[in-house]
Amino acid sequence: MNNTEKERIIRQFQEKMDYDELLNCMRCGFCLPTCPTYIESGKNELHSPRGRIALMKAVVDGDIEPDDEVKRSLDMCLGCRACEPVCPSGVKYGHLLEEARDIIYQNKKPSLPVKAVRHLVFEQLFPYQNRMTTLVGLIGFYQRSGLSTLARKTHMLKLLPETMQLMEKALPAIPKGKEIRNRSEHLKPIGDKKKNVAFFNGCLMDTVFMKTNEATKKLLQYAGCDIVIPKTQACCGALHGHSGEKAKAKELAKRNIIAFEQAEIDYIITNAGGCGAFLVDYDHLLKSEPEWHERAKAFTAKIKDITSILVELNFQQESLKLKDEVLTYQDSCHLRNGQKTFIQPRQLLQSIEGSDYVEMKNADRCCGSAGIYNIVESEMSMQILDYKMKETKKTKAKTIVTSNPGCLLQMRLGIEKEGLQGQMRAVHIVDLLLEAYENAHS
């Protein structure tokens, strides 16, 4: 960073960082055993929540410059927020991290290639679902046309980093563009109506994992929900918010508030832990804009994960059956730490007849996906995944259940990495629950 960039960053740290929140950190160290990057870096304080907060405060106080070491420490953070539930002072670490990253990325001039990639991803792709659909359609064509088989046979994939090679194999079968575009905006319950809900589509969930979205809506229908799917909804903005693009995240938040606020509903249902955790934070994201803050609070009050509403509607008491299945569950960090939802998925899994549920050691520790972390911080991500797969294998599970698309891809990547194809599968919880429900009622 040059001196002008550093001066701007220091000034904005002093103006924007919540100093009271920085002071709330008592340096007790309760966060250290929960932090994957602290553990995997050999207990390096620079890569702990306590250490990162100390760096932020030191920049505000003028004790250190916001140099590349500070940026590196913040970039290395997964943003899993596992430190928050164990903090005696209740420090909102996730809010501090997002603000610090936003200040640095908005004031540090990136290289031209990085600037081009960030513009493409954050400005031109994720905010526009039709463009996401087109891109994903091309990936689907690659899979169906035989190009994927050709690429593997000719070893063309060897040109990619190892993580990307594994990820190509871990991708699910992509639906055709026509399937993605032609879907209902209103679905009636199957049986007696119990709730009126809206469904939040998401970006990846509504393209790469469209079948999981369809399974989610089917489960809601079986549970007695009348469902509306607002056509004007947008990306949740989580990727932007976590990557120093706060202004764009606010823009997307406002689009979503407008899209859902006219619907007469009890809840807005999500099936992706990362999306849900960001959606419930819209009131914080828009706290400085009085005309939006109250609308954001009304919006966030309605957010509910699919597993929460299913338990609320006693879906776990329905007949659910699988055959000779050993299950384990990998928590979505943001579902657990952001939405405080972790008991409900386990209740649902434990209610499935013909299956044994085995709790994984440290199931609440991040798998290393964290949005695009497994691409931009591949080495650390794979270290974290290696630990996760070691604990997964100890459960002797045939099926790893997840509740977030990033976690699902990461665990599939782990299965490929360990050579466990055919012995183990990774599935989203709604796909498994639908399979169990339809098995029991066929």
Side-chain angles (χ1 to χ4, degrees):
M1 298 184 196
N2 60 44
N3 289 333
T4 303
E5 289 172 343
K6 288 178 182 177
E7 287 170 8
R8 282 202 305 265
I9 290 170
I10 291 170
R11 185 168 63 252
Q12 291 202 14
F13 259 67
Q14 292 169 343
E15 292 171 357
K16 295 184 176 182
M17 293 300 296
D18 187 335
Y19 199 70
D20 288 339
E21 199 67 61
L22 291 171
L23 288 175
N24 276 344
C25 177
M26 301 185 301
R27 314 289 189 264
C28 66
F30 279 29
C31 59
L32 300 183
T34 71
C35 179
T37 54
Y38 172 73
I39 295 165
E40 296 297 336
S41 65
K43 299 187 176 179
N44 184 340
E45 278 280 359
L46 281 175
H47 299 312
S48 74
R50 178 173 71 177
R52 292 180 180 111
I53 290 173
L55 290 175
M56 295 177 206
K57 183 177 179 296
V59 172
V60 174
D61 291 341
D63 294 334
I64 63 171
E65 291 187 336
D67 57 17
D68 289 337
E69 187 174 49
V70 172
K71 181 180 178 297
R72 182 70 188 131
S73 174
L74 298 178
D75 284 346
M76 185 66 80
C77 181
L78 291 148
C80 69
R81 295 169 62 180
C83 50
E84 291 186 10
V86 299
C87 178
S89 300
V91 175
K92 301 295 185 186
Y93 174 80
H95 294 166
L96 293 172
L97 177 69
E98 284 179 10
E99 193 68 69
R101 281 178 169 171
D102 185 61
I103 293 168
I104 289 174
Y105 276 96
Q106 294 306 312
N107 289 283
K108 183 183 183 301
K109 188 176 181 180
S111 65
L112 284 176
V114 169
K115 185 177 180 180
V117 170
R118 287 179 70 88
H119 177 75
L120 176 65
V121 171
F122 297 126
E123 299 286 340
Q124 300 300 321
L125 183 58
F126 275 88
Y128 302 99
Q129 195 65 5
N130 59 331
R131 296 177 189 177
M132 285 286 292
T133 300
T134 300
L135 176 62
V136 169
L138 292 174
I139 298 172
F141 175 76
Y142 163 80
Q143 289 179 335
R144 292 187 296 271
S145 65
L147 286 173
S148 61
T149 304
L150 180 64
R152 291 174 193 177
K153 283 184 177 178
T154 58
H155 304 292
M156 286 179 64
L157 293 175
K158 296 287 185 184
L159 298 172
L160 298 173
E162 183 183 0
T163 304
M164 296 297 288
Q165 294 176 42
L166 292 170
M167 199 170 290
E168 189 267 351
K169 293 179 182 178
L171 282 173
I174 306 295
K176 294 179 180 179
K178 187 183 291 185
E179 293 178 78
I180 297 174
R181 291 185 180 93
N182 298 333
R183 282 176 292 158
S184 301
E185 295 175 43
H186 180 217
L187 295 167
K188 293 184 178 181
I190 298 171
D192 296 335
K193 184 170 81 169
K194 297 177 182 177
K195 293 288 181 183
N196 290 311
V197 303
F199 181 64
F200 184 80
N201 287 325
C203 299
L204 285 177
M205 289 305 300
D206 209 42
T207 49
V208 176
F209 296 101
M210 187 202 84
K211 290 180 181 177
T212 300
N213 266 7
E214 295 302 296
T216 306
K217 287 179 273 190
K218 183 64 73 175
L219 282 178
L220 288 170
Q221 287 180 286
Y222 284 139
C225 293
D226 189 274
I227 314 162
V228 294
I229 306 101
K231 197 171 184 178
T232 54
Q233 61 180 292
C235 168
C236 70
L239 187 62
H240 300 79
H242 300 327
S243 304
E245 297 286 341
K246 202 170 181 181
K248 196 67 183 179
K250 287 182 177 182
E251 181 185 318
L252 292 166
K254 291 171 185 176
R255 283 172 59 185
N256 282 321
I257 291 168
I258 292 168
F260 284 89
E261 65 185 353
Q262 297 303 316
E264 294 182 5
I265 51 171
D266 301 302
Y267 302 122
I268 299 168
I269 305 301
T270 68
N271 62 2
C275 293
F278 200 73
L279 294 171
V280 298
D281 248 1
Y282 275 5
D283 56 338
H284 173 78
L285 182 68
L286 297 169
K287 66 178 182 179
S288 62
E289 301 183 41
E291 71 276 21
W292 283 98
H293 188 227
E294 288 303 315
R295 294 167 74 178
K297 284 202 293 186
F299 176 90
T300 60
K302 292 181 178 179
I303 300 297
K304 189 176 282 285
D305 182 69
I306 177 65
T307 59
S308 290
I309 190 171
L310 289 178
V311 168
E312 181 179 320
L313 297 175
N314 295 315
F315 195 76
Q316 71 276 18
Q317 294 175 15
E318 294 281 351
S319 182
L320 303 170
K321 290 182 182 178
L322 292 173
K323 187 178 179 181
D324 300 326
E325 193 76 70
V326 181
L327 311 172
T328 194
Y329 179 67
Q330 165 60 26
D331 281 288
S332 155
C333 297
H334 287 100
L335 183 60
R336 185 181 183 108
N337 303 321
Q339 291 181 266
K340 315 301 181 192
T341 301
F342 51 92
I343 295 172
Q344 296 91 330
R346 289 168 169 82
Q347 287 177 307
L348 290 162
L349 294 175
Q350 289 165 0
S351 71
I352 301 173
E353 295 177 42
S355 68
D356 291 320
Y357 176 78
V358 182
E359 182 72 12
M360 185 197 309
K361 181 184 176 184
N362 293 328
D364 58 344
R365 186 185 292 184
C366 185
C367 65
S369 172
I372 57 171
Y373 189 93
N374 55 3
I375 297 172
V376 298
E377 297 291 348
S378 178
E379 185 177 348
M380 177 59 77
S381 175
M382 292 303 101
Q383 256 182 264
I384 293 167
L385 179 58
D386 287 344
Y387 170 83
K388 184 59 63 177
M389 292 307 299
K390 181 178 75 173
E391 297 304 329
T392 301
K393 285 188 283 187
K394 287 179 184 176
T395 68
K396 303 191 183 305
K398 295 179 182 178
T399 300
I400 312 168
V401 185
T402 72
S403 46
N404 188 62
C407 303
L408 180 55
L409 279 178
Q410 185 81 338
M411 298 314 292
R412 285 181 175 175
L413 193 153
I415 290 169
E416 291 284 342
K417 195 168 185 280
E418 295 291 325
L420 295 171
Q421 309 91 317
Q423 302 172 49
M424 184 183 286
R425 63 172 178 161
V427 300
H428 193 288
I429 190 167
V430 298
D431 291 310
L432 189 79
L433 289 173
L434 184 62
E435 178 186 341
Y437 182 90
E438 294 188 339
N439 279 345
H441 294 82
S442 59

